[in-house]
Amino acid sequence: SSGHLKVATQPSSADVFIIAVPTPFQESHSSLSDPSFPTADLSYVVSAAKSVASHLRPGNLVILESTVPPGTTSNVLADTLASEGVKTADILIAHAPERVLPGNLLYELMHNNRVVGGLTTEATEAACIFYRSFVKGQVVTTDATTAELVKLMENTFRDVNIALANEFALVSEYLGVDVWEAIRLANLHPRVNMLRPGPGVGGHCIAVDPYFVIEAAPHLTPLIQAARKVNSRMPQHTVRLVEQLIAASSRKVALLGASYKANVGDKRESPSLEIARLLEEKGLSVTVHDPYIEEYQCPIEEAVKGADALVLVTDHDVYRSLDPKKVRSLVSSPLLLDTRGYLDEELWRAAGFTVHRLGVRSDVPCVVG
């Protein structure tokens, strides 16, 4: 209403240009990479750079916020601008990775700390001044490649730690113990903070960014590669659990949650959708419910009606408020698999459900190889 925000389909002249475009992964074509690991698709970065090139004037600042493999700002962004006739020595180019949480974007844009790195000292300073104009958190400066790596390190750290939790979940099933109780007890140690296991890792960051590190140094990242394999196989393990638990005559499975993250409507790289695909390949009928994603917003009563098994995949608050007795009256078989250790097990058992949790006393063989 103030007129300060304008939306357009094409860029125009400005003082600062921010490129914030997707960087999905694609199948690897590198002879250096394991073909099972994808590589970054930087075509959107290239396209965006070309679209702003004709509008750049000496002294303009170009900031890449997209999460990218190390070296992209200098080797892809700057080179693309140069190929379009831009004298890159006359402009300022920097990288400042976004660090926002889906569902809380505007607050975090202002309050999160930012890491800013330019291709030159002048570019770093200009980008720092720009972000300090609205960021209430710290704005910390470095070089562009370090800034690129920092974002990848943050999300790879979480991916590796989730993989460790998932591996302990598999071990717990093998040994016949409760991984949730074991993690609670382990976290009583003042220097231990183990994350929680689950049916897989999704989203546009944690499930993607480690591949960019692997792509940059495939021969130096065995731990990161192993973590990616563990997490990417958890949907398959969840399906194995379902197969073990349901009767041979079972036909319908209801998945609770399509989003990769609780209380957020984001299905990118969601393990729920991979689980649904794998179950359908097994010949099962699958319904997916999610209150935050339009295509899965059918009444939950409709989603669970006639189900032979319920699988809690996403720990949305709304699922904790479900009435197990009402759900029991709708399903064909009172079987619940909780992959998040989230629901009140005793409450659901009291309603007549047989409750199983990922990481707890299972005869399903762990995923190996």
Side-chain angles (χ1 to χ4, degrees), residues 14-21 44-45 48-49 52 56 59-68 72-74 77-78 81 91-98 114-119 122-135 139 144 147-148:
D15 299 310
V16 181
F17 294 81
I18 298 176
I19 295 176
V21 295
Y44 297 98
V45 174
V52 303
L56 294 177
N60 282 171
L61 172 63
V62 181
I63 303 171
L64 177 61
E65 284 198 354
S66 304
T67 305
V68 292
T72 298
T73 304
S74 59
L77 175 57
L81 293 175
I91 63 171
L92 305 167
I93 301 174
H95 181 71
E98 58 83 10
R114 298 299 295 255
V115 175
V116 176
L119 296 186
E122 293 77 15
T124 300
E125 182 60 24
C128 185
I129 291 171
F130 168 72
Y131 282 105
R132 282 178 177 160
S133 70
F134 64 91
V135 171
V139 179
E148 291 166 335

Side-chain angles (χ1 to χ4, degrees), residues 12-315:
S12 59
S13 297
D15 299 310
V16 181
F17 294 81
I18 298 176
I19 295 176
V21 295
T23 49
F25 51 65
Q26 60 188 350
E27 294 303 315
S28 173
H29 300 292
S30 170
S31 60
L32 296 177
S33 299
D34 183 328
S36 64
F37 291 114
T39 57
D41 177 1
L42 298 177
S43 60
Y44 297 98
V45 174
V46 172
S47 178
K50 290 180 177 180
S51 74
V52 303
S54 63
H55 301 283
L56 294 177
R57 300 293 180 266
N60 282 171
L61 172 63
V62 181
I63 303 171
L64 177 61
E65 284 198 354
S66 304
T67 305
V68 292
T72 298
T73 304
S74 59
N75 298 331
V76 176
L77 175 57
D79 288 356
T80 300
L81 293 175
S83 70
E84 293 294 304
V86 176
K87 293 183 178 180
T88 55
D90 293 339
I91 63 171
L92 305 167
I93 301 174
H95 181 71
E98 58 83 10
R99 288 166 138 184
V100 294
L101 182 70
N104 199 28
L105 298 179
L106 293 179
Y107 179 88
E108 296 207 349
L109 278 172
M110 294 176 60
H111 291 85
N112 285 2
N113 299 330
R114 298 299 295 255
V115 175
V116 176
L119 296 186
T120 63
T121 302
E122 293 77 15
T124 300
E125 182 60 24
C128 185
I129 291 171
F130 168 72
Y131 282 105
R132 282 178 177 160
S133 70
F134 64 91
V135 171
K136 299 182 184 302
Q138 295 185 63
V139 179
V140 184
T141 60
T142 183
D143 62 88
T145 303
T146 300
E148 291 166 335
L149 184 60
V150 165
K151 175 63 182 293
L152 301 179
M153 290 173 69
E154 293 167 355
N155 289 323
T156 300
F157 171 85
R158 296 182 65 195
D159 192 50
V160 170
N161 279 273
I162 292 170
L164 179 62
N166 281 332
E167 206 159 82
F168 272 121
L170 300 177
V171 170
S172 295
E173 291 175 2
Y174 178 76
L175 297 177
V177 299
D178 185 332
V179 72
W180 308 98
E181 174 70 0
I183 288 175
R184 184 185 71 83
L185 296 174
N187 283 348
L188 294 176
H189 191 288
R191 289 175 294 282
V192 173
N193 184 24
M194 186 167 294
L195 300 181
R196 297 167 66 83
V201 175
H204 66 297
C205 287
I206 300 178
V208 177
D209 294 358
Y211 289 127
F212 298 169
V213 183
I214 295 169
E215 178 183 352
H219 57 298
L220 298 175
T221 52
L223 176 62
I224 299 172
Q225 294 179 36
R228 272 286 73 226
K229 288 180 178 179
V230 169
N231 287 336
S232 65
R233 289 169 180 165
M234 290 308 292
Q236 298 174 23
H237 182 69
T238 300
V239 170
R240 285 189 176 92
L241 287 172
V242 173
E243 286 186 295
Q244 182 212 17
L245 298 172
I246 62 177
S249 59
S250 297
R251 300 304 309 160
K252 180 178 179 179
V253 176
L255 302 183
L256 302 182
S259 174
Y260 82 93
K261 182 179 178 64
N263 305 321
V264 168
D266 193 336
K267 66 179 184 179
R268 286 176 290 180
E269 308 301 324
S270 172
S272 179
L273 304 185
E274 175 67 5
I275 291 167
R277 185 187 68 81
L278 292 170
L279 288 171
E280 288 173 346
E281 285 184 352
K282 303 286 184 180
L284 292 165
S285 172
V286 179
T287 58
V288 181
H289 176 272
D290 195 293
Y292 295 93
I293 301 177
E294 185 175 359
E295 63 190 289
Y296 303 113
Q297 286 177 346
C298 63
I300 194 166
E301 294 83 3
E302 179 183 319
V304 304
K305 186 175 182 180
D308 297 299
L310 303 180
V311 183
L312 188 283
V313 186
T314 312
D315 45 345

